[in-house]
Amino acid sequence: MPASKTGYLTVASSNSLERSDIMNQPPDIVRSAYIELVVTDLARARAWWVDLIGFHVQHEQDRALYLRGYEEFVHHSVVLREGRVAACERMGFRVRTADDLDRAELFYKERGCEVQRMPEGTTPGFGETVRTVDPLGFPIEFVFHIDRVDPLVQRYDLRHGASINRLDHINIAIPDVPAAYAYYTSLGFGLSETIEDLADGTLYAAWMFRKQTVHDIAFTLGAGPMLHHVAFAVPESHHILSLCDTIGARNQAHYMERGPGRHGVSNAFYLYLRDDDGHRVEIYTTDYFTGDPGHQPIRWDVHDERRRDFWSNPVVPSWYQGSVGLLDLDGNPIPVQAQDPTERTVTVGADGIGIVVNE
Amino acid sequence: MPASKTGYLTVASSNSLERSDIMNQPPDIVRSAYIELVVTDLARARAWWVDLIGFHVQHEQDRALYLRGYEEFVHHSVVLREGRVAACERMGFRVRTADDLDRAELFYKERGCEVQRMPEGTTPGFGETVRTVDPLGFPIEFVFHIDRVDPLVQRYDLRHGASINRLDHINIAIPDVPAAYAYYTSLGFGLSETIEDLADGTLYAAWMFRKQTVHDIAFTLGAGPMLHHVAFAVPESHHILSLCDTIGARNQAHYMERGPGRHGVSNAFYLYLRDDDGHRVEIYTTDYFTGDPGHQPIRWDVHDERRRDFWSNPVVPSWYQGSVGLLDLDGNPIPVQAQDPTERTVTVGADGIGIVVNE
Amino acid sequence: MPASKTGYLTVASSNSLERSDIMNQPPDIVRSAYIELVVTDLARARAWWVDLIGFHVQHEQDRALYLRGYEEFVHHSVVLREGRVAACERMGFRVRTADDLDRAELFYKERGCEVQRMPEGTTPGFGETVRTVDPLGFPIEFVFHIDRVDPLVQRYDLRHGASINRLDHINIAIPDVPAAYAYYTSLGFGLSETIEDLADGTLYAAWMFRKQTVHDIAFTLGAGPMLHHVAFAVPESHHILSLCDTIGARNQAHYMERGPGRHGVSNAFYLYLRDDDGHRVEIYTTDYFTGDPGHQPIRWDVHDERRRDFWSNPVVPSWYQGSVGLLDLDGNPIPVQAQDPTERTVTVGADGIGIVVNE
Amino acid sequence: MPASKTGYLTVASSNSLERSDIMNQPPDIVRSAYIELVVTDLARARAWWVDLIGFHVQHEQDRALYLRGYEEFVHHSVVLREGRVAACERMGFRVRTADDLDRAELFYKERGCEVQRMPEGTTPGFGETVRTVDPLGFPIEFVFHIDRVDPLVQRYDLRHGASINRLDHINIAIPDVPAAYAYYTSLGFGLSETIEDLADGTLYAAWMFRKQTVHDIAFTLGAGPMLHHVAFAVPESHHILSLCDTIGARNQAHYMERGPGRHGVSNAFYLYLRDDDGHRVEIYTTDYFTGDPGHQPIRWDVHDERRRDFWSNPVVPSWYQGSVGLLDLDGNPIPVQAQDPTERTVTVGADGIGIVVNE
């Protein structure tokens, strides 16, 4: 066998089209890639996110932790920064090329949004980024270059907690779901699933994707804009059960808000947690492939009890509310608009358990 | 809440760039999408693929079965056609747009390959396709339109066997792996993992992807071109163990060739099966996301015992050979070129178990 | 190697003491072994118990089904008999020797209970039995001989549903838990766990065993005597999740009453179901060994939220009530004594979900 | 509800017969309860048994570690004592009453075995014991009292490695399996499974039990007496896969000798390990209940490929040999008798993998 050329070790660009001359386009978003959260006690947050849940600490600097899951080949997907009030500082999208940063800048300026261009190194491990507050009122950031770091996929000797693989998606609470749907459609997101009133067309929730899974972003009807939750993929359902058992052993059930269970929407096996600051985290596994052209959404009727839990276990009312508020580009809280209270009803089911009907 | 616009139920095209005027490009392949196999006894093949392994029969026509996994939203991913000699009739790639069929036709004609354009309906459930025998000597086909059929993802009442989700990848046996690597690179495939001699750069095997997983195609060094195996994703590792137990209960261990185990390459939990015609099928779960721009490959040294089985369990020698031969566009067998026999060694390890070193 | 004696294929009696002359003893109960239930539609019951849940039909005769789990080497552990009103006809204990039937007869006659001696074959697969209504008001039966039938442990090709292994325990609803505790102690049962008010010593629930697991019998405080539930062991937790998914797929969540979850008491992973007649069935796995001499019970305080669900998920109020009534030796309903209603409180927790405090 | 009597918290003796006047009986063995091993480097052994495999360290004293699994309510099940040569110092049985120590003393003296009575505290956590070298040449010990320690069953926050629950059984290598069968039958052990030549009655291996599982002791034909392996139960099969992955991640495949796989005999999911001293440890889960009176053994033919591995994966030849030698009551090595070499054959199968036929 002849010796190979070193060339074959280069990854071919997965999309070889020339794009540099096409600027009247939204940025080509690859996926939801990271989240930056303010926590009020960094040591306590580390005990929760790292020791209990199972993230890897990639970097620590200036009262902030940079975390990743074991399947992430890049510097981090979570930043926990110590501050006075728990909040979501920003969520971040990775784009396909450096040019997409220019497109992002242009796209949001044309929509009247304030845009900041942050130089390489502003965030450890990151190249240049573009920050804005989007038309929905969310602080978002775009990045192309993230440092590649040593693979940990098979470091089973280090994996612990729920064996966190990677950030999967971000869910936002917002009073106007159709507006959120329209905006993310304009960014090129596909629609994988909805909760609707199939009788009258009211849209209660939507799941949208860029990467080839069920979603990168989803919308929950409620007061907002707020962060609803950030979700992390783990390998198998038993990793989720194991985390539940550990939390039970520590007598810290207040960290578990909902689940474990099987979602109707997305088919994922799930668990919702709240950290000490109220940040809601979903642990998530076994959703499905959506990468085919023309992939059609699955539409759930709001009256199908299985939409939120495929086994029809009731959703705890607290879950229907956003978790933490957001910060603007200057670090100030973004005002929250109440959902019309007439649209939210709490009833008590025949079995004595309260059922929330805000969908 | 205002009634939603019907518009939000449309899937946005996931790549919004205009491509129709860019023809000097390879077809934009979305993924490995299907395989067509000749079996010598269709009833026996049905008992194996459907009753034992767990596929869903979508369609049956003219001595052929059209099968899909429970996560596939499209008509089929496997065709089993009855014939005189077991073979692989073709493997198929799904492309992103109808225009990519034109690109495929041009791309292969320019490379001197015979190309056939097949009208819609030639294959049940399929639109127009383009067939060729590629420069590696493989019969391949491109399709854009495949009928969308009812989702079965959550039909847990129907799932059985190993709970097959979807076709994940195809592996080909070929005497010249670097040539296969170069050809698939020209088609825009990314490289996720390799087995090499890190000392001298010899390339023994490579894993390449279009969809955002470890691979759509892989190359195993050996006599060829032959089909090595076709792999199907299942939800969790216990589904694989369950299939092993069922095969044990039926006293049909001859169907199990290798595994179960954890791959070094790809990190997947795996099992290799051979059906009654010798078709090799891999059951596969929990590999990882590769969709980031600039994703870098993992390079395994050929001397790392963990490359093929992360627990270093020996690979049975038969596994290193292709499974079935291929058919050209006229249905005639494609000649197989032997691998240089000096490159293949079988030794017996200290523990008395034969170890193949063809890598 | 010399040929062996046929003798080594005989099972040694596991207790070799001479007992025949020791009659002033309770019967030596090996375990809770079977239950006989009245169902109102046998075809419907078969669809549930066999097709959905996963029992093996060993025998069918005279409008009755005789079922077993795949780990049971004996004729049956469940009898479903068609009748006008759903009920529990009897629960059955297997005893160690034929002499224990005599002891049972004497033991209950001395306690003033009506006793019937049933000849071999009254129940298909059974030798002679002794029936009575015990001091708690339960119809019980003792059997020594049960036909040994072909092992199905490894018939993974037949296992389905939740892969039922064997009857594990029976739980009874009763207004006086200390009386039930005292009675079963007199029968030689050991105590593995309790729910008590550790401040005042009130006993709310107890788990007692003869075989070397957490229990054969347990008591739930409530109106009674009634059957609370019968539990069946399965191999692993994923078999329980799989059953939940199948029920979801069939849109039959009304069959799921509570769970899945991890018990505090017993450590078992569990799911509670109700069949179409209201019979409550628990699917249960991974409790622990209790066979050591002097095994000490684990005592849970009634205020520890983890006692019923180790993850502190709320118990649905319906679960605290018995499932079906009982029949006396003539087949007539046994009267139910109400629990003092002042002992039962329903409150609504801070999260809006109703919490039952009858413990 | 009336306050309960404190009496109900006492465990009833699970066998209430008076035995004190019955001395012409073997000791009433409850189960295989512990093993004492000599390791040559205690720190290294701790890294393996505790950090990697997942035992709990209950006690450390005088160059010895006292370990238990998380389901064991008693002081320890493993003693690792540092010494010059790796060996098995003794294996231990727990008996039902203090009187059984007297019975053990008498039983072995009558068989001409040297017997030592060790006072309480000789072993930390133990009451008085009786030591002997049994007629098979094994150093064994009987204990009644073992200190009860805090339950760890639900300390999921501490469980790690393979989540070790408890010692399940011990397997011995011995040249005369029928003799071992006869001896353990005389001790009151039941027979659960065999490997035989069903044509001529030759007994190759046997599995025997006191507790209600498949075995407490088993015999492997080979040079002996030697320890073949000691096995520990874990909750579920994924705990075994997880340990394999961790070992792979540490690149220490030399610790894995055989598996993972499903046993034919016992139905257990298994993995065999060797520690740095060559001690063979099995990790084991999901065997079955054997506690019924008259439980009948399952007999495997030696030619059924599934007997050792239900999926017919070949057994590595090294596995058929004992692991370490034994020490007599004075700490001196017990001589090993070779198996007749004509009874052992190694052949190479059609697939090039060596198959051992010593059965």
Side-chain angles (χ1 to χ4, degrees):
Chain A
M1 165 166 297
S4 61
K5 307 296 182 301
T6 56
Y8 62 67
L9 300 179
T10 307
V11 175
S13 68
S14 61
N15 284 62
S16 48
L17 299 176
E18 285 300 318
R19 285 194 180 81
S20 55
D21 59 338
I22 307 170
M23 282 304 300
N24 57 342
Q25 295 286 348
D28 188 355
I29 293 172
V30 173
R31 63 178 177 97
S32 290
Y34 56 97
I35 199 155
E36 300 194 24
L37 300 173
V38 179
V39 298
T40 58
D41 182 329
L42 194 61
R44 188 182 60 180
R46 183 190 186 111
W48 197 88
W49 288 76
V50 177
D51 301 339
L52 177 61
I53 306 303
F55 283 83
H56 177 75
V57 178
Q58 186 64 33
H59 188 65
E60 183 163 9
Q61 178 184 322
D62 300 336
R63 307 300 301 159
L65 285 171
Y66 299 81
L67 311 178
R68 62 166 163 147
Y70 284 83
E71 189 181 300
E72 290 172 322
F73 293 76
V74 290
H75 190 270
H76 66 265
S77 59
V78 175
V79 180
L80 303 178
R81 196 183 321 278
E82 196 170 70
R84 210 171 39 80
V85 179
C88 173
E89 204 162 356
R90 66 186 59 84
M91 58 179 178
F93 297 109
R94 189 158 186 194
V95 293
R96 194 166 306 277
T97 68
D99 290 342
D100 288 303
L101 297 181
D102 299 331
R103 283 188 201 95
E105 185 175 355
L106 188 58
F107 184 87
Y108 287 96
K109 282 185 173 166
E110 285 180 348
R111 278 151 189 78
C113 303
E114 183 187 352
V115 176
Q116 290 180 350
R117 194 107 186 190
M118 310 305 293
E120 178 181 347
T122 304
T123 299
F126 277 28
E128 195 184 22
T129 69
V130 169
R131 292 180 181 172
T132 190
V133 175
D134 73 15
L136 303 177
F138 271 80
I140 62 173
E141 188 176 44
F142 297 91
V143 67
F144 164 62
H145 175 83
I146 309 181
D147 287 355
R148 206 255 192 189
V149 287
D150 278 348
L152 296 173
V153 173
Q154 295 186 314
R155 291 303 303 273
Y156 291 100
D157 53 331
L158 300 182
R159 285 173 179 260
H160 62 286
S163 198
I164 300 294
N165 264 344
R166 57 177 173 74
L167 189 148
D168 185 81
H169 65 264
I170 292 167
N171 186 305
I172 63 180
I174 196 145
D176 186 346
V177 168
Y181 165 78
Y183 161 64
Y184 273 99
T185 297
S186 78
L187 278 171
F189 282 64
L191 180 69
S192 60
E193 305 211 22
T194 65
I195 295 176
E196 306 171 53
D197 189 324
L198 294 180
D200 69 9
T202 307
L203 181 66
Y204 288 90
W207 285 256
M208 301 186 76
F209 63 97
R210 286 294 300 177
K211 74 178 181 304
Q212 297 171 334
T213 66
V214 171
H215 57 323
D216 286 284
I217 191 85
F219 322 120
T220 300
L221 176 62
M226 293 181 73
L227 178 65
H228 190 273
H229 69 264
V230 54
F232 299 92
V234 298
E236 302 202 333
S237 52
H238 66 79
H239 292 103
I240 293 179
L241 301 183
S242 173
L243 178 60
C244 296
D245 288 336
T246 298
I247 291 172
R250 294 162 54 134
N251 205 2
Q252 296 174 324
H254 57 283
Y255 288 146
M256 294 174 62
E257 186 182 35
R258 180 184 154 203
R262 169 85 57 199
H263 280 310
V265 171
S266 84
N267 191 46
F269 194 80
Y270 73 89
L271 171 71
Y272 290 96
L273 303 163
R274 303 295 290 266
D275 80 357
D276 295 286
D277 284 304
H279 294 299
R280 186 182 285 120
V281 168
E282 182 181 14
I283 314 295
Y284 181 96
T285 191
T286 59
D287 63 352
Y288 58 85
F289 177 80
T290 60
D292 271 355
H295 180 82
Q296 291 296 311
I298 294 174
R299 300 164 62 187
W300 291 81
D301 189 84
V302 70
H303 303 103
D304 188 331
E305 291 293 344
R306 300 177 298 172
R307 68 197 187 285
R308 292 288 186 188
D309 184 278
F310 194 58
W311 310 330
S312 302
N313 277 332
V315 177
V316 66
S318 66
W319 185 88
Y320 277 103
Q321 301 169 1
S323 54
V324 292
L326 310 170
L327 301 185
D328 66 18
L329 297 186
D330 301 319
N332 298 316
I334 293 176
V336 170
Q337 174 189 351
Q339 185 195 350
D340 180 344
T342 64
E343 291 171 4
R344 191 183 185 87
T345 321
V346 180
T347 64
V348 176
D351 57 4
I353 288 195
I355 307 289
V356 168
V357 187
N358 80 331
E359 298 182 343
Chain B
M1 166 168 295
S4 59
K5 307 296 183 299
T6 57
Y8 62 67
L9 299 179
T10 307
V11 176
S13 67
S14 63
N15 282 62
S16 49
L17 298 176
E18 285 300 317
R19 285 196 180 82
S20 56
D21 58 339
I22 307 170
M23 282 305 300
N24 57 341
Q25 296 285 347
D28 188 356
I29 293 171
V30 173
R31 62 178 178 98
S32 291
Y34 56 96
I35 198 155
E36 301 193 25
L37 300 172
V38 179
V39 298
T40 58
D41 181 329
L42 194 61
R44 187 181 60 181
R46 183 188 187 112
W48 196 88
W49 288 76
V50 178
D51 300 339
L52 177 61
I53 306 302
F55 283 84
H56 177 75
V57 178
Q58 186 63 33
H59 188 67
E60 183 163 8
Q61 179 184 320
D62 300 336
R63 307 298 303 157
L65 285 170
Y66 299 81
L67 311 178
R68 62 165 164 146
Y70 284 83
E71 189 182 299
E72 291 172 321
F73 294 76
V74 291
H75 190 269
H76 66 264
S77 60
V78 175
V79 180
L80 303 178
R81 196 183 320 278
E82 197 170 71
R84 210 172 40 78
V85 179
C88 173
E89 203 161 356
R90 66 186 60 84
M91 59 179 176
F93 298 109
R94 189 157 187 195
V95 294
R96 195 165 305 279
T97 67
D99 290 343
D100 288 303
L101 297 180
D102 299 331
R103 284 190 199 94
E105 183 175 357
L106 188 59
F107 184 87
Y108 287 96
K109 281 185 173 166
E110 285 181 347
R111 278 150 189 79
C113 303
E114 183 186 354
V115 176
Q116 290 180 348
R117 195 105 184 191
M118 311 304 293
E120 178 181 348
T122 304
T123 299
F126 277 27
E128 195 184 23
T129 68
V130 169
R131 292 180 181 170
T132 190
V133 174
D134 72 16
L136 303 177
F138 270 80
I140 61 175
E141 187 177 45
F142 297 90
V143 67
F144 165 60
H145 174 82
I146 309 181
D147 286 355
R148 204 254 192 189
V149 287
D150 277 348
L152 296 173
V153 174
Q154 296 186 313
R155 291 303 303 272
Y156 291 101
D157 52 330
L158 299 182
R159 286 174 179 260
H160 61 285
S163 199
I164 300 294
N165 264 343
R166 56 177 174 73
L167 189 149
D168 185 81
H169 64 265
I170 293 167
N171 186 305
I172 63 180
I174 196 145
D176 187 344
V177 169
Y181 165 77
Y183 162 64
Y184 274 98
T185 298
S186 78
L187 279 171
F189 281 64
L191 181 70
S192 59
E193 305 210 23
T194 65
I195 295 177
E196 305 171 53
D197 189 325
L198 294 181
D200 67 10
T202 307
L203 180 67
Y204 288 91
W207 285 256
M208 301 186 76
F209 63 97
R210 286 293 299 176
K211 74 178 181 305
Q212 297 170 334
T213 66
V214 171
H215 57 323
D216 286 284
I217 191 84
F219 322 119
T220 300
L221 176 62
M226 292 180 74
L227 177 65
H228 190 273
H229 69 264
V230 54
F232 299 92
V234 297
E236 302 201 333
S237 52
H238 66 80
H239 293 102
I240 294 179
L241 301 183
S242 174
L243 178 60
C244 296
D245 287 336
T246 298
I247 291 173
R250 294 162 54 134
N251 205 4
Q252 296 173 323
H254 57 283
Y255 287 147
M256 295 174 61
E257 185 181 36
R258 179 183 155 205
R262 169 83 59 200
H263 279 310
V265 171
S266 84
N267 191 47
F269 194 80
Y270 73 89
L271 171 71
Y272 290 97
L273 303 162
R274 304 295 291 266
D275 79 358
D276 294 287
D277 284 305
H279 294 299
R280 185 182 286 121
V281 167
E282 182 181 15
I283 314 295
Y284 180 94
T285 190
T286 60
D287 63 351
Y288 58 85
F289 176 80
T290 59
D292 271 356
H295 180 81
Q296 292 296 312
I298 294 174
R299 301 164 62 187
W300 291 82
D301 189 85
V302 70
H303 303 104
D304 188 331
E305 291 293 344
R306 300 177 299 171
R307 69 198 187 284
R308 292 288 186 188
D309 183 278
F310 194 57
W311 311 330
S312 301
N313 277 333
V315 176
V316 65
S318 66
W319 184 89
Y320 277 103
Q321 301 169 1
S323 54
V324 292
L326 311 170
L327 301 185
D328 66 18
L329 297 186
D330 301 318
N332 298 316
I334 293 176
V336 170
Q337 175 189 352
Q339 184 195 351
D340 180 343
T342 63
E343 291 171 5
R344 190 181 187 89
T345 322
V346 181
T347 63
V348 176
D351 56 5
I353 288 195
I355 306 289
V356 169
V357 186
N358 80 329
E359 297 182 341
Chain C
M1 168 169 293
S4 60
K5 306 296 184 299
T6 57
Y8 62 68
L9 300 180
T10 308
V11 175
S13 68
S14 62
N15 281 62
S16 48
L17 297 176
E18 285 300 318
R19 286 196 179 81
S20 56
D21 59 339
I22 307 171
M23 281 304 299
N24 57 344
Q25 296 286 348
D28 189 354
I29 293 172
V30 174
R31 63 178 178 98
S32 291
Y34 56 96
I35 198 154
E36 301 194 24
L37 300 173
V38 179
V39 297
T40 58
D41 182 328
L42 194 61
R44 188 182 59 181
R46 182 189 187 112
W48 196 89
W49 288 76
V50 178
D51 300 339
L52 176 61
I53 306 303
F55 283 84
H56 177 76
V57 178
Q58 186 64 33
H59 188 67
E60 183 163 8
Q61 178 183 320
D62 300 335
R63 308 297 304 157
L65 285 171
Y66 298 82
L67 311 178
R68 63 166 162 146
Y70 284 83
E71 189 181 300
E72 291 171 322
F73 293 76
V74 291
H75 190 269
H76 67 264
S77 60
V78 175
V79 180
L80 303 179
R81 196 182 321 278
E82 197 170 72
R84 210 172 39 79
V85 179
C88 173
E89 203 162 357
R90 67 185 59 83
M91 58 179 176
F93 297 108
R94 189 158 187 193
V95 294
R96 194 166 306 278
T97 67
D99 289 343
D100 288 302
L101 296 181
D102 298 332
R103 283 190 201 94
E105 184 175 357
L106 188 58
F107 183 87
Y108 287 96
K109 281 185 172 164
E110 284 181 348
R111 277 150 188 81
C113 304
E114 182 186 354
V115 175
Q116 291 180 351
R117 194 106 186 190
M118 311 306 292
E120 179 180 348
T122 304
T123 300
F126 277 27
E128 194 183 24
T129 69
V130 169
R131 292 180 181 172
T132 190
V133 174
D134 73 15
L136 303 177
F138 271 79
I140 61 175
E141 188 176 46
F142 297 90
V143 67
F144 165 61
H145 174 83
I146 309 181
D147 287 354
R148 205 255 192 189
V149 287
D150 278 347
L152 296 173
V153 174
Q154 296 185 314
R155 291 303 303 273
Y156 291 101
D157 52 331
L158 300 182
R159 286 174 179 260
H160 62 284
S163 199
I164 299 294
N165 264 344
R166 57 177 173 73
L167 189 148
D168 185 82
H169 65 265
I170 292 167
N171 186 304
I172 63 180
I174 196 146
D176 187 346
V177 169
Y181 165 79
Y183 161 63
Y184 273 99
T185 297
S186 78
L187 279 171
F189 281 65
L191 181 68
S192 59
E193 305 210 23
T194 65
I195 295 177
E196 304 172 52
D197 188 325
L198 294 181
D200 68 9
T202 307
L203 181 66
Y204 289 90
W207 286 256
M208 301 187 75
F209 63 96
R210 287 293 300 177
K211 74 177 181 306
Q212 297 169 335
T213 65
V214 171
H215 57 321
D216 286 285
I217 191 86
F219 322 120
T220 300
L221 176 62
M226 293 180 74
L227 177 65
H228 190 273
H229 69 264
V230 54
F232 299 92
V234 297
E236 301 200 336
S237 52
H238 66 81
H239 293 102
I240 294 179
L241 300 183
S242 174
L243 179 59
C244 295
D245 287 335
T246 298
I247 291 173
R250 295 162 54 134
N251 205 4
Q252 296 174 325
H254 56 283
Y255 288 147
M256 295 174 61
E257 186 182 36
R258 180 183 155 204
R262 169 84 58 199
H263 279 311
V265 171
S266 85
N267 191 47
F269 193 81
Y270 73 89
L271 171 71
Y272 290 97
L273 303 162
R274 303 297 289 266
D275 79 356
D276 295 287
D277 284 305
H279 295 298
R280 185 182 285 121
V281 168
E282 182 182 14
I283 314 294
Y284 180 96
T285 190
T286 59
D287 63 351
Y288 58 85
F289 177 80
T290 59
D292 271 356
H295 180 82
Q296 292 297 310
I298 294 174
R299 301 164 60 187
W300 291 82
D301 189 84
V302 70
H303 303 103
D304 189 331
E305 291 293 344
R306 299 176 298 171
R307 70 199 186 282
R308 292 287 186 187
D309 183 278
F310 194 57
W311 312 330
S312 302
N313 277 332
V315 177
V316 64
S318 67
W319 184 89
Y320 276 103
Q321 301 169 2
S323 54
V324 293
L326 310 170
L327 301 184
D328 67 18
L329 297 186
D330 301 317
N332 298 317
I334 293 176
V336 170
Q337 175 189 350
Q339 184 194 350
D340 181 342
T342 64
E343 292 172 4
R344 190 181 186 87
T345 321
V346 180
T347 62
V348 176
D351 56 4
I353 288 195
I355 307 290
V356 168
V357 187
N358 80 330
E359 296 182 344
Chain D
M1 168 167 293
S4 60
K5 307 295 184 299
T6 57
Y8 62 67
L9 299 179
T10 307
V11 176
S13 67
S14 61
N15 282 64
S16 47
L17 299 176
E18 285 300 318
R19 285 195 179 82
S20 56
D21 58 339
I22 307 170
M23 283 305 298
N24 58 342
Q25 295 285 347
D28 188 354
I29 293 171
V30 173
R31 62 178 177 97
S32 292
Y34 56 97
I35 198 154
E36 301 194 24
L37 300 173
V38 179
V39 297
T40 58
D41 182 329
L42 194 61
R44 188 182 58 180
R46 183 189 187 111
W48 196 88
W49 289 76
V50 178
D51 301 339
L52 177 61
I53 305 303
F55 283 83
H56 178 76
V57 178
Q58 185 64 32
H59 188 68
E60 182 163 9
Q61 179 184 320
D62 300 336
R63 308 297 305 158
L65 285 171
Y66 298 82
L67 311 178
R68 63 166 162 145
Y70 283 83
E71 189 180 299
E72 290 172 322
F73 292 76
V74 291
H75 191 269
H76 66 264
S77 60
V78 175
V79 180
L80 303 178
R81 197 183 319 279
E82 196 170 73
R84 212 172 37 80
V85 179
C88 173
E89 203 161 357
R90 67 186 59 83
M91 58 179 177
F93 297 108
R94 189 156 187 195
V95 294
R96 194 165 305 279
T97 68
D99 290 343
D100 288 302
L101 296 180
D102 299 331
R103 284 190 200 94
E105 184 175 357
L106 189 58
F107 184 87
Y108 286 96
K109 281 186 173 165
E110 285 180 348
R111 278 151 189 79
C113 303
E114 183 185 352
V115 175
Q116 289 180 351
R117 194 106 184 190
M118 311 305 293
E120 178 180 349
T122 304
T123 299
F126 277 27
E128 194 183 25
T129 70
V130 169
R131 292 179 181 172
T132 191
V133 174
D134 73 16
L136 303 177
F138 270 79
I140 61 175
E141 188 176 45
F142 297 90
V143 67
F144 164 61
H145 175 83
I146 309 180
D147 286 354
R148 205 254 193 190
V149 287
D150 278 348
L152 296 173
V153 174
Q154 295 185 313
R155 292 302 303 273
Y156 291 101
D157 52 331
L158 299 182
R159 286 173 179 261
H160 62 285
S163 199
I164 300 294
N165 264 344
R166 56 178 174 74
L167 189 148
D168 185 82
H169 64 265
I170 292 167
N171 186 304
I172 63 181
I174 196 145
D176 187 345
V177 168
Y181 165 78
Y183 161 64
Y184 273 99
T185 297
S186 78
L187 278 171
F189 281 64
L191 181 69
S192 60
E193 305 210 22
T194 66
I195 294 177
E196 306 172 51
D197 188 325
L198 294 181
D200 68 11
T202 307
L203 181 66
Y204 289 91
W207 284 257
M208 301 187 75
F209 63 96
R210 286 293 299 176
K211 74 177 180 308
Q212 297 169 334
T213 65
V214 170
H215 57 322
D216 287 284
I217 191 85
F219 322 119
T220 300
L221 175 62
M226 292 181 73
L227 178 65
H228 190 274
H229 70 263
V230 54
F232 299 92
V234 298
E236 302 201 333
S237 52
H238 66 79
H239 293 102
I240 293 178
L241 301 184
S242 174
L243 178 59
C244 296
D245 288 336
T246 298
I247 291 173
R250 295 163 55 134
N251 205 3
Q252 296 174 323
H254 57 282
Y255 287 146
M256 295 174 62
E257 185 182 35
R258 180 184 155 203
R262 169 83 59 199
H263 279 310
V265 172
S266 85
N267 191 47
F269 194 80
Y270 73 89
L271 171 71
Y272 289 97
L273 303 162
R274 303 295 290 266
D275 80 356
D276 295 288
D277 283 305
H279 295 299
R280 185 183 286 119
V281 168
E282 183 181 15
I283 314 294
Y284 181 95
T285 190
T286 58
D287 63 351
Y288 57 84
F289 177 80
T290 60
D292 271 356
H295 180 82
Q296 292 296 311
I298 294 173
R299 301 164 61 186
W300 290 82
D301 189 85
V302 69
H303 302 103
D304 188 331
E305 290 294 343
R306 300 176 299 171
R307 69 199 187 283
R308 292 287 186 188
D309 184 278
F310 194 57
W311 310 330
S312 303
N313 277 331
V315 177
V316 65
S318 66
W319 183 89
Y320 277 102
Q321 300 169 2
S323 54
V324 292
L326 310 170
L327 301 184
D328 67 18
L329 297 186
D330 301 319
N332 298 317
I334 293 176
V336 170
Q337 174 189 350
Q339 184 195 350
D340 181 342
T342 64
E343 291 171 5
R344 190 180 186 87
T345 320
V346 181
T347 63
V348 176
D351 56 5
I353 287 194
I355 307 289
V356 169
V357 186
N358 81 329
E359 298 181 342

